[in-house]
Protein backbone atom coordinates (compact mmCIF):
# COMPACT_ATOMS: atom_id res chain seq x y z
CA UNK A 1 0.00 0.00 0.00
CA UNK A 2 0.97 3.56 -0.55
CA UNK A 3 2.43 5.33 2.45
CA UNK A 4 2.72 9.03 3.28
CA UNK A 5 5.24 9.53 0.46
CA UNK A 6 2.72 8.28 -2.14
CA UNK A 7 5.07 5.46 -2.99
CA UNK A 8 2.40 3.41 -4.76
CA UNK A 9 1.65 6.25 -7.17
CA UNK A 10 5.34 6.92 -7.73
CA UNK A 11 6.12 3.28 -8.48
CA UNK A 12 3.33 3.07 -11.05
CA UNK A 13 3.75 6.40 -12.85
CA UNK A 14 7.45 7.27 -12.54
CA UNK A 15 9.05 7.97 -15.91
CA UNK A 16 5.88 7.20 -17.88
CA UNK A 17 4.83 9.92 -20.31
CA UNK A 18 2.57 9.42 -23.33
CA UNK A 19 4.77 8.65 -26.31
CA UNK A 20 5.17 11.84 -28.39
CA UNK A 21 5.04 10.05 -31.76
CA UNK A 22 1.75 8.11 -31.21
CA UNK A 23 0.32 9.07 -27.84
CA UNK A 24 0.85 5.51 -26.55
CA UNK A 25 0.26 5.54 -22.79
CA UNK A 26 2.80 2.79 -22.12
CA UNK A 27 6.40 3.55 -23.06
CA UNK A 28 7.15 1.72 -26.34
CA UNK A 29 10.22 -0.47 -26.60
CA UNK A 30 12.32 1.41 -29.14
CA UNK A 31 14.05 -1.63 -30.59
CA UNK A 32 16.54 0.28 -32.69
CA UNK A 33 20.29 0.64 -32.66
CA UNK A 34 20.46 3.86 -34.66
CA UNK A 35 18.30 6.80 -35.76
CA UNK A 36 17.84 8.48 -39.12
CA UNK A 37 19.63 11.77 -39.79
CA UNK A 38 18.17 14.05 -42.48
CA UNK A 39 21.69 15.40 -43.01
CA UNK A 40 24.94 14.58 -41.20
CA UNK A 41 24.44 15.64 -37.57
CA UNK A 42 20.82 16.70 -38.14
CA UNK A 43 18.49 14.54 -36.01
CA UNK A 44 15.80 14.66 -33.31
CA UNK A 45 18.19 14.36 -30.37
CA UNK A 46 18.73 10.64 -30.88
CA UNK A 47 21.76 9.34 -32.78
CA UNK A 48 22.75 5.89 -31.55
CA UNK A 49 21.13 3.75 -28.86
CA UNK A 50 24.28 3.28 -26.74
CA UNK A 51 24.05 7.03 -26.09
CA UNK A 52 20.30 7.70 -26.32
CA UNK A 53 17.24 5.49 -26.24
CA UNK A 54 13.75 6.73 -25.27
CA UNK A 55 12.88 3.46 -23.52
CA UNK A 56 16.03 3.63 -21.41
CA UNK A 57 15.48 7.33 -20.71
CA UNK A 58 11.99 6.52 -19.34
CA UNK A 59 13.46 3.83 -17.11
CA UNK A 60 16.22 6.16 -15.94
CA UNK A 61 13.66 8.79 -14.99
CA UNK A 62 11.70 6.14 -13.09
CA UNK A 63 14.84 5.12 -11.18
CA UNK A 64 15.44 8.77 -10.27
CA UNK A 65 11.87 9.38 -9.11
CA UNK A 66 11.64 6.31 -6.87
CA UNK A 67 14.98 7.18 -5.23
CA UNK A 68 14.04 10.86 -4.69
CA UNK A 69 16.90 11.89 -6.99
CA UNK A 70 17.21 14.17 -10.01
CA UNK A 71 19.10 11.91 -12.41
CA UNK A 72 19.07 8.19 -13.11
CA UNK A 73 21.32 6.05 -15.26
CA UNK A 74 20.59 2.45 -16.27
CA UNK A 75 23.30 -0.17 -16.73
CA UNK A 76 23.52 -3.70 -18.09
CA UNK A 77 23.95 -5.06 -14.53
CA UNK A 78 24.49 -3.95 -10.96
CA UNK A 79 28.17 -4.75 -11.33
CA UNK A 80 28.35 -2.51 -14.43
CA UNK A 81 26.81 0.34 -12.39
CA UNK A 82 29.40 -0.22 -9.64
CA UNK A 83 32.18 -0.32 -12.22
CA UNK A 84 31.03 3.03 -13.66
CA UNK A 85 31.31 4.66 -10.21
CA UNK A 86 34.86 3.31 -9.80
CA UNK A 87 35.81 4.81 -13.17
CA UNK A 88 35.37 8.28 -11.65
CA UNK A 89 38.65 7.62 -9.81
CA UNK A 90 42.27 7.93 -10.87
CA UNK A 91 45.36 5.95 -9.78
CA UNK A 92 46.35 6.86 -6.23
CA UNK A 93 42.79 7.53 -5.08
CA UNK A 94 41.56 5.66 -2.03
CA UNK A 95 38.18 4.05 -1.40
CA UNK A 96 36.78 3.12 1.99
CA UNK A 97 34.53 0.11 1.53
CA UNK A 98 32.58 -2.18 3.80
CA UNK A 99 34.47 -5.25 5.00
CA UNK A 100 31.21 -7.15 4.56
CA UNK A 101 29.45 -6.60 1.23
CA UNK A 102 28.27 -8.41 -1.89
CA UNK A 103 31.11 -10.70 -3.01
CA UNK A 104 30.93 -9.52 -6.63
CA UNK A 105 31.62 -5.94 -5.55
CA UNK A 106 34.65 -7.13 -3.57
CA UNK A 107 35.84 -9.15 -6.60
CA UNK A 108 35.46 -6.11 -8.88
CA UNK A 109 37.38 -3.90 -6.44
CA UNK A 110 40.15 -6.37 -5.58
CA UNK A 111 40.69 -8.07 -8.96
CA UNK A 112 39.95 -5.26 -11.43
CA UNK A 113 40.25 -1.78 -9.94
CA UNK A 114 43.11 -2.46 -7.55
CA UNK A 115 45.23 -3.29 -10.62
CA UNK A 116 44.37 0.18 -11.98
CA UNK A 117 46.02 1.81 -8.95
CA UNK A 118 42.97 2.39 -6.76
CA UNK A 119 43.54 1.56 -3.10
CA UNK A 120 40.71 -0.04 -1.12
CA UNK A 121 40.52 0.13 2.66
CA UNK A 122 37.94 -2.25 4.13
CA UNK A 123 36.36 -1.34 7.45
CA UNK A 124 33.29 -2.26 9.47
CA UNK A 125 31.08 0.61 8.26
CA UNK A 126 28.35 -0.30 10.77
CA UNK A 127 30.44 1.81 13.16
CA UNK A 128 30.79 5.22 11.47
CA UNK A 129 33.83 5.99 13.62
CA UNK A 130 35.75 3.33 11.69
CA UNK A 131 35.01 5.26 8.49
CA UNK A 132 36.14 8.57 10.02
CA UNK A 133 39.38 6.95 11.22
CA UNK A 134 40.16 5.53 7.77
CA UNK A 135 39.88 8.87 5.92
CA UNK A 136 43.13 10.20 4.42
CA UNK A 137 43.75 13.10 2.03
CA UNK A 138 43.59 10.53 -0.81
CA UNK A 139 40.11 9.24 0.10
CA UNK A 140 37.72 10.04 -2.77
CA UNK A 141 34.92 7.55 -2.29
CA UNK A 142 33.10 5.73 0.50
CA UNK A 143 31.25 2.59 -0.60
CA UNK A 144 28.43 1.51 1.70
CA UNK A 145 26.06 -1.42 1.34
CA UNK A 146 23.18 -1.49 3.82
CA UNK A 147 21.77 -3.96 4.65
CA UNK A 148 24.62 -6.11 3.38
CA UNK A 149 24.29 -9.20 1.23
CA UNK A 150 24.20 -11.74 2.81
CA UNK A 151 24.83 -10.87 6.47
CA UNK A 152 22.28 -8.01 6.73
CA UNK A 153 24.64 -5.69 8.59
CA UNK A 154 23.37 -2.12 8.86
CA UNK A 155 25.26 1.14 8.33
CA UNK A 156 24.05 4.56 9.44
CA UNK A 157 23.85 6.30 6.04
CA UNK A 158 23.40 9.76 7.57
CA UNK A 159 26.45 9.45 9.85
CA UNK A 160 28.69 8.13 7.06
CA UNK A 161 27.40 10.75 4.59
CA UNK A 162 28.25 13.52 7.06
CA UNK A 163 31.82 12.20 7.27
CA UNK A 164 32.03 11.88 3.49
CA UNK A 165 30.59 15.31 2.76
CA UNK A 166 32.90 16.95 5.30
CA UNK A 167 35.88 15.36 3.54
CA UNK A 168 34.82 15.95 -0.09
CA UNK A 169 34.27 12.25 -0.70
CA UNK A 170 31.56 10.72 -2.83
CA UNK A 171 29.35 8.48 -0.71
CA UNK A 172 27.80 5.71 -2.80
CA UNK A 173 25.20 3.46 -1.18
CA UNK A 174 24.31 0.07 -2.61
CA UNK A 175 20.59 0.11 -1.77
CA UNK A 176 19.77 -3.21 -3.43
CA UNK A 177 18.68 -5.08 -0.33
CA UNK A 178 16.60 -2.31 1.25
CA UNK A 179 14.95 -1.23 -2.04
CA UNK A 180 13.58 2.32 -2.49
CA UNK A 181 10.36 1.16 -0.81
CA UNK A 182 12.14 1.14 2.55
CA UNK A 183 15.14 3.45 2.21
CA UNK A 184 16.24 6.42 0.08
CA UNK A 185 19.94 7.11 0.76
CA UNK A 186 19.98 10.51 -1.04
CA UNK A 187 17.56 11.78 1.63
CA UNK A 188 20.24 11.00 4.21
CA UNK A 189 23.00 12.88 2.39
CA UNK A 190 24.50 10.16 0.19
CA UNK A 191 25.89 11.32 -3.18
CA UNK A 192 24.93 8.31 -5.32
CA UNK A 193 22.52 5.40 -4.89
CA UNK A 194 23.32 2.18 -6.69
CA UNK A 195 21.06 -0.82 -7.26
CA UNK A 196 21.36 -4.27 -8.62
CA UNK A 197 17.99 -3.78 -10.34
CA UNK A 198 18.22 -7.51 -11.00
CA UNK A 199 16.75 -7.99 -7.52
CA UNK A 200 13.72 -6.18 -6.06
CA UNK A 201 13.45 -3.53 -8.81
CA UNK A 202 13.23 -6.19 -11.52
CA UNK A 203 11.14 -8.29 -9.19
CA UNK A 204 10.59 -11.36 -11.36
CA UNK A 205 14.06 -12.93 -11.70
CA UNK A 206 13.92 -12.34 -15.46
CA UNK A 207 16.32 -9.45 -16.03
CA UNK A 208 19.90 -8.41 -15.22
CA UNK A 209 20.16 -4.68 -14.70
CA UNK A 210 21.77 -1.97 -12.61
CA UNK A 211 21.22 1.69 -11.90
CA UNK A 212 22.72 4.80 -10.38
CA UNK A 213 20.76 7.79 -9.08
CA UNK A 214 22.19 11.16 -8.04
CA UNK A 215 21.31 14.84 -7.59
CA UNK A 216 24.52 16.49 -8.77
CA UNK A 217 24.40 17.45 -12.47
CA UNK A 218 28.17 17.49 -12.98
CA UNK A 219 28.44 14.02 -11.50
CA UNK A 220 25.55 12.89 -13.69
CA UNK A 221 27.36 14.20 -16.78
CA UNK A 222 30.57 12.39 -15.77
CA UNK A 223 28.73 9.12 -15.20
CA UNK A 224 26.71 9.50 -18.42
CA UNK A 225 30.00 9.97 -20.29
CA UNK A 226 31.36 6.80 -18.67
CA UNK A 227 28.11 4.94 -19.45
CA UNK A 228 28.21 5.76 -23.16
CA UNK A 229 32.00 5.45 -23.48
CA UNK A 230 32.28 2.03 -21.84
CA UNK A 231 28.96 0.84 -23.26
CA UNK A 232 27.52 -1.24 -20.40
CA UNK A 233 23.98 -0.16 -21.26
CA UNK A 234 20.91 -2.39 -21.09
CA UNK A 235 19.26 -3.17 -24.44
CA UNK A 236 15.98 -1.39 -25.10
C1 LIG B 1 23.89 -6.13 -2.89
C2 LIG B 1 24.25 -6.42 -4.30
N1 LIG B 1 24.94 -5.49 -5.00
C3 LIG B 1 25.31 -5.72 -6.28
C4 LIG B 1 25.01 -6.89 -6.94
C5 LIG B 1 25.46 -7.10 -8.35
O1 LIG B 1 24.38 -6.95 -9.21
P1 LIG B 1 24.20 -7.72 -10.61
O2 LIG B 1 24.11 -9.18 -10.29
O3 LIG B 1 22.93 -7.16 -11.15
O4 LIG B 1 25.39 -7.40 -11.46
C6 LIG B 1 24.28 -7.88 -6.25
C7 LIG B 1 23.95 -9.16 -6.92
O5 LIG B 1 23.63 -10.14 -6.29
C8 LIG B 1 23.90 -7.64 -4.90
O6 LIG B 1 23.20 -8.54 -4.21
Amino acid sequence: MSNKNNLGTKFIHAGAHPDPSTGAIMTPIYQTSTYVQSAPGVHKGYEYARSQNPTRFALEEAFAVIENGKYGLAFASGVAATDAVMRLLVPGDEVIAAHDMYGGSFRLFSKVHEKMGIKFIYVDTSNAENVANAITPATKLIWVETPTNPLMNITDIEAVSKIGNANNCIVCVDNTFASPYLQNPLDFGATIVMHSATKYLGGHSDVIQGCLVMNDETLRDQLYFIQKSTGAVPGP
Side-chain angles (χ1 to χ4, degrees):
M1 287 298 292
S2 186
N3 66 13
K4 62 182 171 10
N5 298 318
N6 297 321
L7 277 180
T9 306
K10 271 171 41 172
F11 288 148
I12 290 169
H13 291 290
H17 307 290
D19 179 52
S21 54
T22 63
I25 288 290
M26 297 310 295
T27 305
I29 297 171
Y30 282 89
Q31 193 71 51
T32 185
S33 60
T34 194
Y35 306 84
V36 73
Q37 304 199 6
S38 52
V42 181
H43 50 76
K44 298 177 178 175
Y46 294 89
E47 293 162 282
Y48 189 64
R50 175 158 39 73
S51 307
Q52 306 102 358
N53 182 283
T55 314
R56 190 173 77 237
F57 284 174
L59 178 69
E60 291 179 334
E61 187 186 330
F63 285 144
V65 170
I66 65 175
E67 272 297 3
N68 295 342
K70 282 193 189 154
Y71 308 105
L73 291 169
F75 290 86
S77 68
V79 162
T82 305
D83 180 68
V85 174
M86 292 301 145
R87 288 173 188 274
L88 293 165
L89 305 176
V90 297
D93 285 349
E94 291 182 11
V95 177
I96 299 171
H99 75 335
D100 154 37
M101 62 180 166
Y102 170 61
S105 301
F106 178 70
R107 181 178 57 204
L108 176 68
F109 297 168
S110 60
K111 303 283 188 222
V112 178
H113 288 285
E114 232 174 77
K115 279 198 300 196
M116 306 295 171
I118 312 295
K119 188 173 167 193
F120 292 86
I121 294 110
Y122 298 98
V123 304
D124 177 0
T125 57
S126 66
N127 180 352
E129 225 173 89
N130 294 333
V131 175
N133 292 338
I135 298 261
T136 76
T139 311
K140 293 292 172 341
L141 179 76
I142 301 170
W143 187 270
V144 168
E145 184 179 310
T146 181
T148 58
N149 173 10
L151 295 179
M152 297 289 165
N153 283 315
I154 303 293
T155 290
D156 181 340
I157 296 171
E158 195 168 18
V160 170
S161 297
K162 267 190 193 143
I163 295 164
N165 294 336
N167 289 279
N168 289 320
C169 297
I170 291 168
V171 177
C172 185
V173 177
D174 181 338
N175 201 29
T176 301
F177 263 34
S179 90
Y181 189 82
L182 298 173
Q183 173 171 280
N184 297 114
L186 298 181
D187 292 352
F188 295 105
T191 328
I192 306 173
V193 184
M194 173 263 159
H195 278 275
S196 166
T198 312
K199 307 290 152 29
Y200 295 118
L201 296 187
H204 304 116
S205 299
D206 57 2
V207 70
I208 293 281
Q209 195 150 122
C211 78
L212 300 175
V213 178
M214 67 240 74
N215 282 320
D216 186 285
E217 192 178 355
T218 307
L219 187 60
R220 182 263 168 204
D221 291 348
Q222 287 172 321
L223 287 165
Y224 170 72
F225 181 82
I226 291 168
Q227 181 203 39
K228 77 170 181 186
S229 302
T230 61
V233 288

